Amino acid sequence: MNDVMQTNGSRLRTVGTWAAYGLFFSAALLVSLLLTFPNRQLKSYVEAQARAAGYPLRIGEMSLRGLGGVHLSDVDLTIPAKGRLAAASPGQPTPPSPEPTILHFDDLRLDVALMAALDSKLDLRFEAEVGEGRIEGGRARVDGKTIDLQIEGIDHLSLDKLGVGTKALAFQDKLTGQLEGLVSGDVKIHWG
């Protein structure tokens, strides 16, 4: 009986040693990847892809957060104006084209669902800070032409600092002008 306990203890020690080695090397690989990852090149790639899609993006700083997570600061996303151009009367100058909306985020944290990305779908969770306001518990899912957006908490978000205040309603034919104020609450949108 004593020999059986020694044999089992020896096997357990061997398995534990190999498990510890595997855990150590996995942790070392993850730390090395995070410390040596080319963040600047990834930032340039993301900005170029957004520009190619028609949404110019400027990112101040970018860093990885674990697997599938990214931390961005000082972000400006340009959303082109798609309103109709007013026709000029004969002999009158052409009216100016509508100005794009530039959304600004002081701090943006994104977590991408990697399994959905393998299936060519976008499923990400996000949190943002704009001035003194916050967006918490955000989730965006894009499947083909369908977009589902859910935000659990919006707390004292300044529309003007976000960039929504200037001509935010210009995409509508009958609603134009300045949108100002602080927003709090939650949002759920299904579009498409």
Side-chain angles (χ1 to χ4, degrees):
M1 171 111 166
N2 208 8
D3 290 337
V4 172
M5 288 178 60
Q6 285 180 342
T7 304
N8 285 341
S10 172
R11 286 183 188 159
L12 186 59
R13 195 174 315 121
T14 303
V15 169
T17 301
W18 283 106
Y21 281 136
L23 185 62
F24 171 76
F25 286 119
S26 296
L29 175 66
L30 183 61
V31 168
S32 298
L33 180 65
L34 291 175
L35 291 176
T36 61
F37 195 83
N39 287 321
R40 236 179 305 134
Q41 288 84 354
L42 179 62
K43 179 181 116 172
S44 297
Y45 175 77
V46 169
E47 289 174 337
Q49 291 298 311
R51 194 176 319 105
Y55 296 93
L57 176 68
R58 188 196 59 75
I59 301 170
E61 291 186 31
M62 177 179 199
S63 61
L64 294 180
R65 293 179 344 129
L67 294 175
V70 140
H71 178 243
L72 308 170
S73 60
D74 194 24
V75 178
D76 289 325
L77 173 64
T78 303
I79 300 175
K82 295 187 180 181
R84 287 186 252 165
L85 295 175
S89 301
Q92 298 293 323
T94 305
S97 60
E99 293 182 27
T101 300
I102 300 174
L103 299 178
H104 176 77
F105 300 95
D106 294 328
D107 197 52
L108 187 60
R109 290 170 301 286
L110 306 171
D111 288 310
V112 178
L114 297 177
M115 294 306 286
L118 293 175
D119 196 24
S120 298
K121 297 176 184 175
L122 177 65
D123 184 1
L124 64 88
R125 296 184 185 275
F126 62 92
E127 291 187 356
E129 291 179 15
V130 179
E132 300 296 318
R134 295 181 52 81
I135 297 174
E136 296 175 337
R139 184 171 186 182
R141 287 185 240 166
V142 179
D143 186 7
K145 293 186 178 186
T146 303
I147 300 171
D148 285 316
L149 177 67
Q150 183 174 351
I151 299 173
E152 293 176 5
I154 301 173
D155 188 32
H156 292 83
L157 187 67
S158 168
L159 295 176
D160 192 40
K161 288 184 181 178
L162 178 62
V164 176
T166 56
K167 302 194 171 100
L169 303 175
F171 63 90
Q172 298 290 327
D173 288 338
K174 296 181 170 65
L175 299 174
T176 59
Q178 185 74 7
L179 185 62
E180 296 178 11
L182 294 176
V183 177
S184 294
D186 61 332
V187 176
K188 194 172 200 177
I189 298 172
H190 177 78
W191 189 355

